[in-house]
Amino acid sequence: MNAHDEVQRTLNPTCTGTSVIALQYKTGVVVLTDRVVSYGKMARYKNVSRQYKVNDNVLIAFGGDHADFHWLQNVIERQVLLWKRFDQDIGPKALHGYLTSLLYAKRCKMNPVWNTLVVAGVEEEEKNNKETSTPFIGVITQKGCAYQVKHIATGLGAFLLNQAVEDEWRKKGEDLSREEAEAVLRKSLELTLYHDCVADNEFEIGRVDATEGVVLGKEEKIIGDWSIAETNCQYE
Amino acid sequence: MDTMRDEKRKAIPAIGFYPQEEISTGTTLIAMEYNGGVVVGTDSRTSAGSFITSRATNKITPITDNMVVCRSGSAADTQAIADIAKYHIDVYTMTENKPVTIYRSSQIFRQFLYNYREQLSASVLVAGWDEELGGQVYAIPIGGFVSRQRSTASGSGSTFVQGFLDSQWRPNLTLEECKAIVKQAVGLATFRDGSSGGVVRLAVINKAGSQFELFRPDKPGFPFVQTPTPHLSFPPHIEQVL
């Protein structure tokens, strides 16, 4: 490795995104991300989406360095076209597997893609039969560690939210309807708003549904409950 | 002293010690004189690294009925200094049987902030009203330099609004104008700074004493920042929602 290599490696993240929260429901997956690019602790750019629609079955959300995902989005686009040459739509499991290998290989070369990726989608078990499609959430960390889950929170959300989301999940499990799943996500977002320095209150909820395909979310805003500020907050 | 501090921050797994990010009130503090007193405004976020440890902190600490100190920097350091300085000011008030002037109080703060400057990480604004000089704001940044100011900002969020405050300042502001500027400045700083956020706390100190106000995001009156309409996030051929 010569000195020239340093120039080409991502050694520190600069413009970053924070948590991603995703949850399976009966017929698909809902994903929540906020819309701010943080430059260290400064909220530098607003209204930037962290969810990318790959095709009608797959949605990718990311946290971590934005520039690295920009590059990755290009690579994913090329993979999709490669599959299209054989008249296939890439499925979430296949994309998840491909990205795992890619991120692990880059990590081994000490040039990581500084992103935590959440691949959300609906996997077709039988061709052209929507009835048997199953929802899929796959996570890949920046070191290339990958796993499949039914619900996930990444970033600082991993510490704050995983238990809250799990509690809601245990109530109804796979029988959650879309509205109930979205309600769980919104409630979880409130927690990040209260306890994550780099979280923003403007967010979007995207979903992948077996019948509707990928529906990207419109921008929404949440304010939270600040009645705690009315009590005596002096330190004496 | 500095090197000793760094050594202390290594982890000792054998006894379960893992150093954590110092808890700091990475902050926005704004203070401004008007014709009759002073207005101070702060956010309410205390953070340790990226984690918000307290989202509704009160950074405006009353010292006497006519004086407050706004705290930024290490939360522990500023709380301790405020307590100690308050004690000294109380003793002088009692033994001399008249209120301590704001100027003298700022010098008492300086006594501790300067003499212990290597051990502390504290930056404060002392603001109040007295008979002699009316409304006064004294800025005491890290190191212990005291200077009287007409309009000043302190803390990590201050960098985002220095320009705004410079453009808004003019002599002989009325109370309402001053409150609007201070509130808007805190709102703008909170909008951009990750270490500032939560609610906006305002205090007005004049001849009548100190009046404290609270502006919550979920109630009307919270400073509103207009964001421009966005452009596309991805290249135009990608399917996306604006």
Side-chain angles (χ1 to χ4, degrees), chain B residues 51-119:
Chain B
F51 181 70
I52 301 173
T53 46
S54 171
R55 63 180 169 110
T57 333
N58 195 337
K59 301 179 188 179
I60 307 176
T61 303
I63 303 287
T64 68
D65 289 335
N66 290 85
M67 181 173 53
V68 300
V69 62
C70 303
R71 306 176 288 110
S72 74
S74 157
D77 286 350
T78 53
Q79 284 183 4
I81 294 291
D83 286 347
I84 293 167
K86 179 169 191 234
Y87 163 76
H88 279 79
I89 292 165
D90 282 347
V91 167
Y92 291 136
T93 309
M94 271 189 271
T95 51
E96 293 159 19
N97 207 16
K98 64 175 187 200
V100 178
T101 61
I102 312 297
Y103 172 72
R104 192 165 160 212
S105 304
S106 73
Q107 294 297 318
I108 291 167
F109 270 93
R110 171 171 164 252
Q111 186 192 345
F112 301 104
L113 289 170
Y114 174 70
N115 285 327
Y116 296 96
R117 64 185 282 175
E118 297 306 318
Q119 285 131 288

Side-chain angles (χ1 to χ4, degrees), chain B residues 25-44:
Chain B
T25 49
T27 282
T28 305
L29 309 173
I30 315 278
M32 209 179 238
E33 263 181 37
Y34 75 95
N35 61 3
V38 294
V39 177
V40 300
T42 65
D43 70 310
S44 69

Side-chain angles (χ1 to χ4, degrees), chain A residues 170-206:
Chain A
R170 283 187 190 185
K171 286 182 192 158
K172 275 190 107 182
E174 267 134 351
D175 286 332
L176 279 167
S177 72
R178 179 169 72 80
E179 289 77 22
E180 287 169 335
E182 284 190 7
V184 173
L185 289 185
R186 288 199 177 88
K187 208 160 123 188
S188 307
L189 178 74
E190 246 187 80
L191 285 171
T192 51
L193 190 64
Y194 297 151
H195 288 292
D196 186 357
C197 284
V198 290
D200 193 38
N201 60 355
E202 278 174 12
F203 66 96
E204 54 182 348
I205 297 187

Side-chain angles (χ1 to χ4, degrees), chain A:
Chain A
M1 250 182 279
N2 54 29
H4 189 61
D5 283 339
E6 259 76 6
V7 178
Q8 314 221 353
R9 292 197 267 152
T10 306
L11 294 171
N12 297 108
T14 49
C15 289
T16 54
T18 181
S19 319
V20 176
I21 321 167
L23 181 61
Q24 260 186 31
Y25 63 95
K26 209 170 195 165
T27 51
V29 182
V30 278
V31 183
L32 184 150
T33 52
D34 63 21
R35 291 168 63 89
V36 69
V37 177
S38 300
Y39 192 67
K41 262 187 165 177
M42 174 194 174
R44 188 134 190 205
Y45 303 111
K46 303 252 177 179
N47 290 318
V48 174
S49 178
R50 289 195 285 126
Q51 293 185 26
Y52 168 56
K53 171 177 168 169
V54 178
N55 59 30
D56 279 321
N57 296 322
V58 189
L59 174 69
I60 290 198
F62 74 95
D65 194 72
H66 273 254
D68 275 347
F69 186 78
H70 222 72
W71 171 85
L72 193 67
Q73 183 264 320
N74 236 241
V75 169
I76 294 170
E77 222 183 311
R78 265 179 268 174
Q79 269 301 111
V80 171
L81 292 172
L82 215 127
W83 276 55
K84 277 233 157 65
R85 281 197 291 170
F86 305 102
D87 215 14
Q88 299 265 31
D89 275 330
I90 193 168
K93 272 195 189 141
L95 186 61
H96 182 239
Y98 171 75
L99 288 173
T100 307
S101 308
L102 177 66
L103 262 66
Y104 182 68
K106 292 209 75 185
R107 164 263 191 194
C108 289
K109 291 190 214 149
M110 293 293 283
N111 183 9
V113 177
W114 208 290
N115 287 121
T116 305
L117 301 171
V118 173
V119 179
V122 168
E123 183 75 25
E124 268 186 6
E125 306 292 343
E126 290 167 21
K127 196 151 173 83
N128 289 327
N129 186 356
K130 302 274 182 190
E131 303 282 304
T132 53
S133 308
T134 50
F136 173 90
I137 302 180
V139 186
I140 315 160
T141 67
Q142 73 195 54
K143 293 203 185 82
C145 172
Y147 46 95
Q148 219 179 304
V149 283
K150 301 235 160 83
H151 54 83
I152 187 75
T154 67
L156 208 70
F159 300 102
L160 297 168
L161 306 176
N162 268 322
Q163 189 57 56
V165 176
E166 168 122 2
D167 283 345
E168 294 297 320
W169 171 264
R170 283 187 190 185
K171 286 182 192 158
K172 275 190 107 182
E174 267 134 351
D175 286 332
L176 279 167
S177 72
R178 179 169 72 80
E179 289 77 22
E180 287 169 335
E182 284 190 7
V184 173
L185 289 185
R186 288 199 177 88
K187 208 160 123 188
S188 307
L189 178 74
E190 246 187 80
L191 285 171
T192 51
L193 190 64
Y194 297 151
H195 288 292
D196 186 357
C197 284
V198 290
D200 193 38
N201 60 355
E202 278 174 12
F203 66 96
E204 54 182 348
I205 297 187
R207 67 174 181 276
V208 192
D209 194 277
T211 37
E212 296 174 307
V214 171
V215 179
L216 295 167
K218 286 208 187 53
E219 184 179 319
E220 295 173 55
K221 196 161 177 170
I222 191 178
I223 304 220
D225 182 5
W226 294 91
S227 46
I228 189 181
E230 304 276 358
T231 59
N232 178 17
C233 295
Q234 280 296 351
Y235 63 86
E236 290 97 359

